Amino acid sequence: MASPALISETEAWKDLKAHLEGIKMTHLRELMGDTERCQSMMVEFDNIFLDYSRQQASPDTISKLYKLADAAYLKQKIDRMYNGDHINSTENRSVLHVALRAPRNSAICSDGKNVVPDVWNVLDKIKDFSDRVRNGSWIGATGKELKDVIAVGIGGSFLGPLFVHTALQTDPEASKNARGRELRFLANVDPIDVARNISGLNPETTLVVVVSKTFTTAETMLNARTLREWISSALGPSAVAKHMVAVSTNLPLVEKFGIDPNNAFAFWDWVGGRYSVCSAVGVLPLSLQYGFAVVEKFLQGAHSIDQHFSSAPFEKNIPVLLGLLSVWNVSFLGYPARAILPYSQALEKLAPHIQQVSMESNGKGVSIDGLPLPFESGEIDFGEPGTNGQHSFYQLIHQGRVIPCDFIGVMKSQQPVYLKGEVVNNHDELMSNFFAQPDALTYGKTPEQLKKENVSEHLIPHKTFTGNRPSISILLPTLDAYRIGQLLAIYEHRVAVQGFV
């Protein structure tokens, strides 16, 4: 791949830079008036709809972004990731989270070895163990069933599993499977987090899952020792083997800690922490709570997007389009932030998880070759579910700084409510906001419109909205385990596209 040292030195980058002024002069109202353009900026895959027509981009912009992708060898880099090449050059490792959700009969190689059988050995072990805990054949030291789980881990060992857990809690199938069970996550080294996690729990019915690749992460190991003391002071030191298990690659340290190495669940160097939710890191605690069958659907959803990402042409490829548009917004239009706005309370932990996936992956000041970047890369991610965010920070989004927004909606609610006498049901009320907000950001409100509405002269400047604020909309048919897996993988691959460019 002989190419200029920096992507910003390529003709494709310079071409986009030259194109920038024309786009800055064009209001989104004008762009949205072109029906053909708008229709060309809608993509559908497996009943997931992406509408990116409210981006500050013309069809010409999009074709120039494809040329930039070619100049960055994007397709080759995606292929290299799937082929198990050591694309993580700083740690000399493969990056193979796609192997974590590959079907049993797939072949994905790292260092010449098909890793899929290893993945399924661990998945089978998790299924067996979680089934035994859930059906009461694995019991605690005093003969009681283990109904409560505390997962101890920080960063990637916490944010992803917490996001999926929160999203599944109100899914009808998952919540039925979780009845009478409790899953908590202990991340912070602050003793307050420990106190909150053990509050109301009985050591006799509690299983602790310690998640640390090396079994040396300072915060995780201090919290693990604290919970070990909580268990052994109540039930005796020998109880640790029945009440604590590990997700780790360091079996000697697991054994030294007092956990039976047979109750350690492996993952691999080619799994990055922030991409580890589909490994034992997430699959074990989530299977204990919801049953392995539900979690397997989540993995299948992620796999469906893995296939789409690796095979769909760029103009129909949801993660590629999203990644290229993020590059456009950050590195060309100069917008430093992005708001992730799911119109579903079940997705309340999506933004904190994507914050880490995105800001740790692309929070770089140098290229992969160590050259300082002469342009901004990566964005500041934040977000809240709608409609809460509307009463929190949308003022800034509508009238203050320009912050590109991701609106995520779901056609059918996990928990539909129909109140007698209400004209609109609760979910339709929510979704009317989901559809209205992107338009309000796009079109704004002019002083002329306000005058026609008889707004007092002195209030007109305060009620004027400039519009011309970009957003994308993603619409999912439902929010079950499969769709949660798809949404996760869309964001993971979008981040990879940005990094690759």
Side-chain angles (χ1 to χ4, degrees):
M1 289 191 201
S3 62
L6 288 164
I7 188 68
S8 53
E9 292 168 8
T10 61
E11 285 311 310
W13 185 281
K14 291 170 187 167
D15 193 23
L16 273 163
K17 272 282 184 211
H19 170 74
L20 195 57
E21 266 328 291
I23 286 292
K24 283 185 171 171
M25 305 286 286
T26 313
H27 198 287
L28 262 171
R29 283 186 211 117
E30 193 181 319
L31 291 170
M32 291 299 287
D34 180 344
T35 312
E36 205 177 309
R37 168 195 169 275
C38 292
Q39 284 172 345
S40 74
M41 292 184 173
M42 291 185 196
V43 177
E44 182 263 331
F45 168 73
D46 192 16
N47 291 323
I48 298 170
F49 291 89
L50 165 66
D51 177 358
Y52 63 96
S53 60
R54 290 169 187 77
Q55 287 287 305
Q56 288 172 292
S58 65
D60 197 22
T61 317
I62 303 302
S63 67
K64 288 177 193 300
L65 284 169
Y66 295 145
K67 288 193 180 114
L68 182 69
D70 290 342
Y73 297 100
L74 178 59
K75 183 70 185 111
Q76 291 93 321
K77 287 174 182 175
I78 294 169
D79 291 344
R80 288 186 67 212
M81 179 171 91
Y82 280 72
N83 292 339
D85 292 6
H86 285 211
I87 62 167
N88 177 347
S89 56
T90 53
E91 294 174 347
N92 193 25
R93 286 176 187 166
S94 307
V95 177
L96 279 181
H97 42 284
V98 295
L100 298 170
R101 50 255 188 156
R104 202 184 281 273
N105 56 2
S106 314
I108 298 175
C109 293
S110 177
D111 298 322
K113 182 194 174 191
N114 182 10
V115 299
V116 176
D118 292 348
V119 169
W120 275 94
N121 284 341
V122 175
L123 290 175
D124 289 339
K125 188 176 171 182
I126 290 172
K127 181 185 186 308
D128 174 61
F129 179 72
S130 59
D131 284 352
R132 283 189 290 145
V133 171
R134 289 173 58 83
N135 68 25
S137 59
W138 174 291
I139 47 173
T142 61
K144 290 190 176 172
E145 285 189 31
L146 301 173
K147 294 283 193 187
D148 307 308
V149 173
I150 303 176
V152 185
I154 199 164
S157 302
F158 152 66
L159 289 160
L162 177 65
F163 151 61
V164 180
H165 169 51
T166 311
L168 284 172
Q169 269 178 321
T170 37
D171 169 65
E173 184 191 6
S175 64
K176 188 175 156 203
N177 285 5
R179 211 162 282 151
R181 311 195 73 85
E182 176 97 32
L183 172 59
R184 298 180 182 182
F185 291 89
L186 172 57
N188 201 330
V189 75
D190 185 340
I192 290 169
D193 205 12
V194 177
R196 286 180 175 180
N197 267 277
I198 61 175
S199 170
L201 295 190
N202 177 357
E204 290 182 274
T205 58
T206 301
L207 178 70
V208 175
V209 179
V210 183
V211 183
S212 173
K213 188 187 272 190
T214 58
F215 236 61
T216 56
T217 311
E219 299 95 330
T220 299
M221 296 322 297
L222 179 54
N223 279 335
R225 291 194 297 275
T226 309
L227 291 188
R228 180 178 64 185
E229 178 56 34
W230 177 64
I231 288 163
S232 46
S233 62
L235 309 174
S238 63
V240 169
K242 277 289 187 190
H243 289 264
M244 295 187 89
V245 297
V247 176
S248 180
T249 48
N250 193 337
L251 294 184
L253 281 187
V254 168
E255 188 166 23
K256 196 175 166 195
F257 184 87
I259 294 174
D260 183 342
N262 292 320
N263 301 328
F265 298 82
F267 61 120
W268 304 272
D269 276 349
W270 42 260
V271 181
R274 53 195 172 275
Y275 295 96
S276 66
V277 60
C278 294
S279 73
V281 168
V283 174
L284 177 59
L286 293 165
S287 296
L288 287 162
Q289 180 70 0
Y290 297 111
F292 184 79
V294 167
V295 183
E296 193 173 7
K297 288 177 189 167
F298 162 72
L299 297 176
Q300 287 163 352
H303 173 67
S304 79
I305 296 293
D306 294 342
Q307 284 186 298
H308 166 71
F309 177 52
S310 69
S311 64
F314 285 178
E315 57 274 12
K316 289 190 164 61
N317 193 312
I318 291 175
V320 166
L321 286 163
L322 291 174
L324 292 175
L325 289 165
S326 284
V327 170
W328 173 240
N329 282 324
V330 174
S331 303
F332 291 89
L333 288 164
Y335 300 139
R338 169 179 64 187
I340 297 171
L341 308 169
Y343 276 65
S344 168
Q345 190 62 29
L347 297 175
E348 65 176 308
K349 296 295 181 188
L350 174 65
H353 176 50
I354 300 309
Q355 244 177 7
Q356 190 212 15
V357 174
S358 164
M359 292 167 80
E360 282 225 326
S361 295
N362 291 332
K364 310 283 198 268
V366 296
S367 74
I368 196 134
D369 301 315
L371 298 170
L373 296 178
F375 53 85
E376 298 296 340
S377 70
E379 60 263 275
I380 303 156
D381 279 303
F382 71 100
E384 274 292 319
T387 52
N388 299 8
Q390 290 175 205
H391 294 264
S392 170
F393 52 78
Y394 277 38
Q395 175 76 36
L396 180 84
I397 287 175
H398 280 287
Q399 286 189 307
R401 291 168 175 260
V402 177
I403 297 171
C405 297
D406 290 2
F407 290 94
I408 302 161
V410 183
M411 292 182 211
K412 186 171 180 284
S413 176
Q414 285 181 340
Q415 299 284 329
V417 174
Y418 298 89
L419 280 184
K420 205 176 165 195
E422 293 283 340
V423 181
V424 176
N425 75 44
N426 301 35
H427 185 65
D428 287 349
E429 171 108 3
L430 175 75
M431 291 306 287
S432 63
N433 283 274
F434 166 81
F435 288 113
Q437 287 294 331
D439 273 350
L441 286 163
T442 298
Y443 293 103
K445 208 159 209 193
T446 64
E448 293 70 39
Q449 286 171 301
L450 293 163
K451 276 175 191 155
K452 279 183 187 159
E453 291 171 17
N454 296 320
V455 172
S456 318
E457 200 64 43
H458 77 287
L459 286 178
I460 284 175
H462 300 282
K463 292 203 169 192
T464 298
F465 292 80
T466 57
N468 205 32
R469 289 155 190 265
S471 64
I472 57 116
S473 299
I474 297 172
L475 190 57
L476 305 169
T478 54
L479 196 62
D480 53 17
Y482 182 83
R483 298 298 181 179
I484 293 162
Q486 288 185 310
L487 184 62
L488 173 81
I490 285 170
Y491 271 91
E492 286 180 343
H493 295 318
R494 172 196 198 158
V495 166
V497 169
Q498 286 175 255
F500 288 155
V501 173

